[in-house]
Amino acid sequence: MLRIGLSGGIGAGKSTVSSTFSELGGIVVDGDVIAREVVEPGTEGLEKLVEAFGQDILSPDGTLNRPALAAIAFSDDEKRATLNGIIHPLVGKRREELIAAAAGDAVIIEDIPLLVESQMAPMFPLVVIVHADEDLRVSRLIEYRGFSEDDARARIKAQATEEQRRAVADVWLDNSGDADELVAKARDLWHQRILPFAHNVQRRERARVAPDIVAYDPNWPDQARRAVARLTTACGHHARRVDHVGSTAVVGMDAKDVIDIQVTVESLAAADGLADALLAAGYPTVREITEDNPHTDDKARWQKRFHASADPCRPTNVHLRVDGWPNQQFALLFPAWLAANPDVRQEYLGIKRDALNAPDYADAKEPWFRNAYPRARQWADENGWQA
């Protein structure tokens, strides 16, 4: 099962994308629909809302008067927090019930209006955000949903900012055009990324990429931050720390377009216990890689567990290493050493480019690494570097 988080500001066009994914075979779990369901007459949700906001939020027939509730709940941050504290847990419980009833190989589209505000983004292997500029969203809300301009802008202001949404977005769908353009973008996303992603997860396979050195991408730090948040959530207390490592962690350095993340664990047994959680997060186990090439005599302490992303559009390697072991320490030291030494950075880049023509890219770099390990350790000792 692959779970996709879908969100966007009010009036952005999220429903169009959700409907398109549904037509293509996705199982849509709609947060708005569930939010209405959990406050129907006779529900625990409606009872709690009345307790918090009074009888005036009810219509004469006993149903929830949504405009009346909005006028109260969106008037200040404290009341909005009260509303969210009532609704979010109930919606979450119902969402999990619906997902549990879906087929094991389903692609679940979780349509969550407040995905960013509720800090749920790291729960999903892929987050899709639909966006349109505020003025365009206001005009749509006025024309199609009968909002006043003041009400539309108040609702937009109460939601996450564009900057906050961009921080969690793996995919940013711009909806500044017409609905047909947005549908076409959603269809392309489904066929080019979501379906291959789901296929790889189902087969427990990583996305394959050909080795190539590309120019430094300023988006790498943001992509890594999302991966770190996702892996921190998936691993929970079993991860002692989660770090962006490898060449893409060195600002300005050309590298393979692959994000490397290290998850530091207590033991290899703890790493093995995380296999299912990492698969659910989109990172299947790569069983043929169980150790790093040792650069000390203590070869047993260079073992690790290796996972990699099933997402064809964001190759990511996940190295689970034991806290304090030399491979875990070196993974943290290496990007710091490269960042502090431009000459070494250029030296390593040349080695990597030469290795592209070798039968095995990783093996071709090993002679250089055997010499680099003591050099990096010496630099660390001389400069007081600590992980």
Side-chain angles (χ1 to χ4, degrees):
M1 182 180 292
L2 178 64
R3 295 172 65 174
I4 307 295
L6 173 64
S7 193
I10 185 170
K14 176 174 56 64
S15 296
T16 298
V17 175
S18 178
S19 297
T20 302
F21 288 162
S22 178
E23 292 169 5
L24 292 168
I27 305 299
V28 175
V29 180
D30 191 323
D32 279 337
V33 172
I34 298 173
R36 289 192 290 271
E37 179 183 322
V38 299
V39 293
E40 290 177 349
T43 62
E44 175 190 2
L46 185 59
E47 180 180 345
K48 288 184 175 181
L49 288 179
V50 171
E51 289 177 2
F53 299 108
Q55 293 285 334
D56 289 343
I57 65 169
L58 295 178
S59 299
D61 63 358
T63 60
L64 179 64
N65 184 329
R66 293 182 177 277
L69 174 61
I72 298 172
F74 289 98
S75 61
D76 64 54
D77 292 341
E78 184 177 348
K79 291 177 180 177
R80 185 165 62 253
T82 299
L83 172 64
N84 291 338
I86 294 170
I87 298 299
H88 286 176
L90 296 172
V91 170
K93 179 181 177 182
R94 180 57 180 154
R95 178 184 293 112
E96 293 304 320
E97 291 172 352
L98 293 172
I99 292 169
D105 61 351
V107 177
I108 306 293
I109 309 299
E110 299 195 44
D111 184 333
I112 306 174
L114 299 180
L115 180 144
V116 179
E117 294 86 340
S118 56
Q119 299 181 328
M120 294 175 64
M123 295 171 53
F124 298 97
L126 191 72
V127 172
V128 179
I129 299 292
V130 187
H131 174 74
D133 291 338
E134 179 174 330
D135 288 344
L136 179 56
R137 291 160 61 195
V138 168
S139 66
R140 288 171 178 166
L141 291 171
I142 293 171
E143 180 176 359
Y144 298 113
R145 296 174 61 174
F147 279 64
S148 69
E149 180 173 350
D150 287 346
D151 191 16
R153 293 195 184 277
R155 292 291 292 272
I156 290 172
K157 184 178 180 181
Q159 293 184 335
T161 64
E162 178 180 341
E163 181 180 12
Q164 289 170 325
R165 291 195 178 96
R166 284 191 183 275
V168 305
D170 298 298
V171 179
W172 187 262
L173 288 181
D174 180 75
N175 185 25
S176 56
D178 59 29
D180 289 342
E181 293 177 17
L182 183 60
V183 168
K185 291 177 181 178
R187 285 181 170 274
D188 284 345
L189 174 61
W190 182 265
H191 291 295
Q192 299 300 320
R193 187 167 188 175
I194 293 176
L195 278 188
F197 196 169
H199 173 80
N200 288 339
V201 168
Q202 183 68 19
R203 294 175 63 89
R204 298 173 181 249
E205 295 180 351
R206 60 171 165 167
R208 297 285 179 173
V209 292
D212 193 16
I213 305 299
V214 301
Y216 177 79
D217 187 341
N219 293 312
W220 284 339
D222 289 335
Q223 293 168 351
R225 275 192 287 272
R226 288 193 289 273
V228 166
R230 190 169 285 133
L231 288 160
T232 300
T233 298
C235 296
H237 70 278
H238 298 290
R240 293 193 170 180
R241 59 185 293 175
V242 183
D243 298 276
H244 182 198
V245 297
S247 298
T248 58
V250 183
V251 175
M253 183 173 180
D254 297 349
K256 288 192 302 178
D257 188 17
V258 179
I259 302 295
D260 282 279
I261 304 294
Q262 176 169 268
V263 178
T264 297
V265 293
E266 179 183 11
S267 65
L268 291 178
D272 290 335
L274 290 169
D276 288 342
L278 291 174
L279 177 64
Y283 303 97
T285 304
V286 181
R287 299 193 182 279
E288 65 266 26
I289 302 177
T290 58
E291 63 183 9
D292 297 303
N293 288 317
H295 301 297
T296 66
D297 292 335
D298 191 2
K299 294 182 179 181
R301 286 160 58 89
W302 286 81
Q303 293 185 46
K304 68 176 179 180
R305 297 296 181 261
F306 183 65
H307 294 244
S309 178
D311 181 355
C313 295
R314 181 56 276 159
T316 305
N317 295 333
V318 182
H319 312 261
L320 284 79
R321 298 186 176 104
V322 176
D323 196 8
W325 283 15
N327 57 350
Q328 184 263 352
Q329 293 287 294
F330 185 52
L332 298 173
L333 165 59
F334 187 62
W337 181 50
L338 291 179
N341 295 275
D343 291 344
V344 177
R345 200 159 60 239
Q346 287 303 115
E347 179 185 324
Y348 180 48
L349 186 57
I351 294 296
K352 292 202 296 181
R353 288 188 169 128
D354 290 342
L356 292 174
N357 300 315
D360 187 292
Y361 176 80
D363 286 347
K365 296 187 297 178
E366 275 312 303
W368 184 85
F369 269 108
R370 280 196 293 271
N371 177 258
Y373 181 77
R375 293 164 61 196
R377 289 300 333 169
Q378 180 179 355
W379 173 85
D381 293 341
E382 291 175 350
N383 290 273
W385 179 88
Q386 292 183 336

